[in-house]
Amino acid sequence: MTSSPMTLRFADSPSATDRAAALPAPAPRRASRAFLRNPTALSGLAILGLVAAAALAAPFAYPDDPLGMVAQPFLWPGQDPAYPLGTDSLGRDVAAGIAHGARVSLLVGFAAAATGLAVGVLVGATAGYAGGRIDRALGRVIALFQTSPAFILLVVLVAIAQPSIPAITLAIGATSWPIVARLTRAEFRSLREKDFVTAARGLGYGPVRIVFAEILPNALPPIVVTASVMVASGILMESALSFRGLGDPNVVSWGSMIGSGREVLRSAWYLTAIPGVAIVLAVLALNLVGDGLNDALNPRLAGEA
């Protein structure tokens, strides 16, 4: 990714370089306007808002244990107004499970993405800026993790650590960081010799300040877009683990709901369909938001604005 014209003007004078720690002021405003004008992105944001609202309202709307048996088993959706989405084979409220499952999915997705981003950006920035032997060594480490089957590694890590929300979150983050590291490494390698970085070195800035205050803000757009995809991948991975019985047994999640409902798929298909739709909507929303961010942060579109 090449530097924007505003970034190149920063390098023309030392006083302007002092302000290069952040992106140019108009750029965030342009990106925000472009994002808010994108109907696809707004649709994704609206769906994601509904999922987040359900997660936030879960403790108040359903204060009891969502794993508790509260009614007759196999109540179909709409059959009893007290249980609008019905009950499962053990008499548990499906609506309570969906709401509390949203909390688990969003928590794991965002926390795992944050973990993967932190490790990936640190490794990628170090490799891309340092170059030489450090770059080659870290590049081999990144390639080693990328060639390993991510889900198999995830299953092994969770099985060793015992299934729990913190263990699942860290395991997903540990398998997702190479994508960010490779992207960050490529961005830093293309930006480290730009004029504004050379000017920062001439002013006596240290490597840490150059990496985090000068190069990283210019490398953020593709990283931000990747972060939305990582959240969606984290939700899918957690659901897959719970579906296979490797989720936290003390909490309800969408994946575990699908796993328990598959045994009665022919007679009570709604037990798998409802949590399945919830997963589809959450992942779809995150992908739509990611597409909107990609369009808004596209340097070509920014230059045309």
Side-chain angles (χ1 to χ4, degrees):
M1 184 182 70
T2 58
S3 298
S4 64
M6 287 295 293
T7 305
L8 293 178
R9 282 200 290 272
F10 279 160
D12 292 340
S13 63
S15 59
T17 307
D18 291 333
R19 294 180 279 110
L23 289 173
R29 289 197 293 268
R30 278 199 302 266
S32 300
R33 287 196 298 267
F35 182 84
L36 294 176
R37 289 173 184 158
N38 190 329
T40 301
L42 291 180
S43 300
L45 201 61
I47 298 173
L48 188 60
L50 290 176
V51 176
L56 292 174
F60 307 101
Y62 304 100
D64 297 329
D65 185 3
L67 295 174
M69 295 176 285
V70 296
Q72 177 184 348
F74 294 118
L75 290 176
W76 276 70
Q79 184 175 346
D80 188 337
Y83 308 101
L85 296 182
T87 59
D88 65 5
S89 59
L90 296 177
R92 297 174 295 194
D93 189 357
V94 175
I98 292 294
H100 283 271
R103 291 168 56 86
V104 173
S105 293
L106 292 182
L107 173 62
V108 172
F110 280 97
T115 303
L117 281 173
V119 177
V121 168
L122 182 61
V123 174
T126 302
Y129 182 76
R133 295 180 178 178
I134 296 177
D135 184 25
R136 289 193 294 272
L138 291 178
R140 291 190 181 98
V141 173
I142 296 171
L144 176 63
F145 274 86
Q146 281 199 306
T147 54
S148 303
F151 190 73
I152 294 178
L153 178 61
L154 175 62
V155 170
V156 171
L157 292 176
V158 172
I160 292 175
Q162 299 300 319
S164 66
I165 294 299
I168 292 172
T169 300
L170 291 176
I172 295 175
T175 59
S176 61
W177 70 266
I179 300 174
V180 184
R182 185 174 181 178
L183 175 62
T184 306
R185 176 173 173 251
E187 290 293 323
F188 269 67
R189 292 180 68 177
S190 66
L191 291 171
R192 66 185 179 188
E193 301 301 332
K194 295 296 181 181
D195 292 341
F196 69 94
V197 178
T198 303
R201 291 195 190 100
L203 289 173
Y205 291 175
V208 175
R209 179 170 180 177
I210 292 175
V211 166
F212 290 102
E214 306 294 332
I215 303 180
L216 184 58
N218 290 277
L220 275 180
I223 296 175
V224 170
V225 175
T226 303
S228 65
V229 179
M230 291 176 64
V231 176
S233 298
I235 292 175
L236 288 174
M237 286 185 174
E238 188 280 329
S239 299
L241 286 174
S242 297
F243 176 80
R244 298 171 187 273
L246 291 173
D248 191 334
N250 300 314
V251 298
V252 61
S253 73
W254 294 337
S256 63
M257 294 177 69
I258 295 176
S260 61
R262 64 181 170 177
E263 299 177 357
V264 291
L265 184 60
R266 293 185 177 180
S267 59
W269 55 265
Y270 66 93
L271 294 178
T272 55
I274 293 176
V277 169
I279 294 174
V280 169
L281 289 177
V283 173
L284 174 64
L286 288 164
N287 279 278
L288 292 178
V289 171
D291 289 341
L293 288 172
N294 184 48
D295 294 340
L297 298 173
N298 191 311
R300 292 182 180 179
L301 297 179
E304 294 172 1

